[in-house]
Amino acid sequence: MEQEIQNVGNTLESMADTYQQYFENFLPGLAGFGIKVVIALLVFVGGRKVIQWIVYLIKTSMQKTSIDKGVIQFVGSLLRVGLYVLLVFTIATHFGVKESSVAALLGTAGVTVGLALQGGLANIAGGIMLLTFKPFQVGDYVIIAQQNDCEGTVYKIEICYTTLISIDNKHIVIPNGTLSNSIITNVTARDLRKLEIKVGISYDSDIQKAKAVLEEILHNDEDTKDDQGMVVFVDELGESSVVMGLRVWVATEKYWAAKWRLNELIKEAFDANGIEIPYNQLQIHVKKHAVK
């Protein structure tokens, strides 16, 4: 019994020595790995601050030139992604991973991600096309036909998405790939827009007088362009009215204000000159026949 107890004690002592030796050999490596992790976290945090500073510096420098704002936003997004990839590459090599291994890993990951995110790559390609051919710029008001006629002012153009601000201040985010394959109406691309207004007058009203009133309104308005093909015409002989029309050029930024103001002035001027603006109505004529 004493011999067995002594053997057990020797075994336990041997195991203790083994574990002690193991931890003595393992702890330095674990401590070194922990230090590397802490350094990597510090490098990542510091690198993130440096990336933000570099992107800010580049965008600020580009803003001082005549470069389009959309190009600045796109370059900023692309530069940020590239710098983060470089940061991750630096941290990986710090842990002892060979550059060739990291490059091979990034290449494999790129192919895998590319196959999985074909839509994302299409959005990047679409963003490059939008910035190359410039169907619109930041600040333009656009209408996208294939997207239920969604429309708004272009707020920013990023690496994958373009953001519009609607009239009621909603954000509309559209993938660049969709935009590059859509019919885009750029409302504010030109300095001038042609304003067309139609209004009906009674068949009993004087057409020439109505034309004279409309022409006077257009010539006296501060936003209309007299020398740009201003015209007043009879557009249609309708069922219940003679439809008068006018076309005039106005500055793009004043289009809606001019339209609303002219509609009001036309109504007031027609009332003042006794020109009736009819509404749809049905006249019934009853003929009485004499009883024989």
Side-chain angles (χ1 to χ4, degrees), residues 201-207 240-242 274-276 278 281 283:
I201 64 173
S202 170
Y203 272 96
D204 296 330
S205 299
D206 187 342
I207 293 179
S240 59
S241 65
V242 177
I275 301 173
E276 180 185 358
Q281 55 186 321
Q283 294 182 348

Side-chain angles (χ1 to χ4, degrees), residues 31-276:
F33 180 79
I35 293 174
K36 287 185 178 181
V37 171
V38 173
I39 294 175
L41 291 176
L42 293 176
V43 170
F44 181 80
V45 174
R48 184 179 179 184
K49 296 293 184 182
V50 172
I51 289 173
Q52 292 176 349
W53 178 78
I54 293 176
V55 172
Y56 172 79
L57 182 63
I58 296 298
K59 292 176 68 174
T60 303
S61 301
M62 295 176 68
Q63 287 171 355
K64 295 180 181 179
T65 63
S66 58
I67 299 176
D68 179 59
K69 188 175 181 180
V71 176
I72 296 175
Q73 293 172 346
F74 186 87
V75 170
S77 299
L78 190 61
L79 180 62
R80 186 180 295 108
V81 172
L83 289 176
Y84 270 111
V85 172
L86 181 61
L87 178 61
V88 172
F89 182 85
T90 303
I91 294 175
T93 55
H94 173 73
F95 277 91
V97 182
K98 294 182 179 180
E99 291 83 351
S100 59
S101 301
V102 176
L105 179 62
L106 290 177
T108 304
V111 173
T112 304
V113 173
L115 293 175
L117 301 176
Q118 295 182 14
L121 294 177
N123 290 336
I124 296 175
I128 295 174
M129 291 181 63
L130 292 175
L131 294 174
T132 301
F133 297 103
K134 294 184 178 180
F136 55 80
Q137 299 178 3
V138 173
D140 286 343
Y141 192 92
V142 297
I143 302 173
I144 314 301
Q146 280 85 344
Q147 301 300 312
N148 297 322
D149 291 332
C150 72
E151 56 186 272
T153 303
V154 180
Y155 176 64
K156 58 182 177 179
I157 306 172
E158 294 184 308
I159 187 171
C160 290
Y161 298 95
T162 293
T163 302
L164 309 181
I165 303 295
S166 65
I167 295 177
D168 53 351
N169 205 33
K170 292 185 294 188
H171 276 219
I172 304 174
V173 181
I174 306 175
N176 288 336
T178 301
L179 278 177
S180 63
N181 293 308
S182 299
I183 298 176
I184 302 172
T185 302
N186 191 335
V187 178
T188 55
R190 311 290 292 182
D191 295 333
L192 296 177
R193 286 185 65 184
K194 179 166 284 188
L195 171 61
E196 182 175 8
I197 296 178
K198 295 180 181 180
V199 58
I201 64 173
S202 170
Y203 272 96
D204 296 330
S205 299
D206 187 342
I207 293 179
Q208 298 304 320
K209 184 177 181 180
K211 290 181 66 175
V213 170
L214 292 176
E215 289 174 353
E216 182 180 1
I217 292 173
L218 294 181
H219 286 296
N220 293 335
D221 190 83
E222 59 183 5
D223 291 334
T224 58
K225 307 295 182 181
D226 295 37
D227 57 341
Q228 296 288 335
M230 180 185 298
V231 60
V232 177
F233 53 91
V234 177
D235 183 70
E236 182 184 356
L237 301 178
E239 294 181 356
S240 59
S241 65
V242 177
V243 181
M244 306 294 297
L246 62 88
R247 290 175 182 168
V248 64
W249 290 96
V250 297
T252 300
E253 66 273 12
K254 297 180 179 180
Y255 177 87
W256 289 108
K259 182 175 183 178
W260 297 331
R261 183 177 61 255
L262 289 176
N263 280 331
E264 182 177 348
L265 292 175
I266 289 171
K267 176 62 169 64
E268 294 174 349
F270 278 7
D271 289 345
N273 287 274
I275 301 173
E276 180 185 358

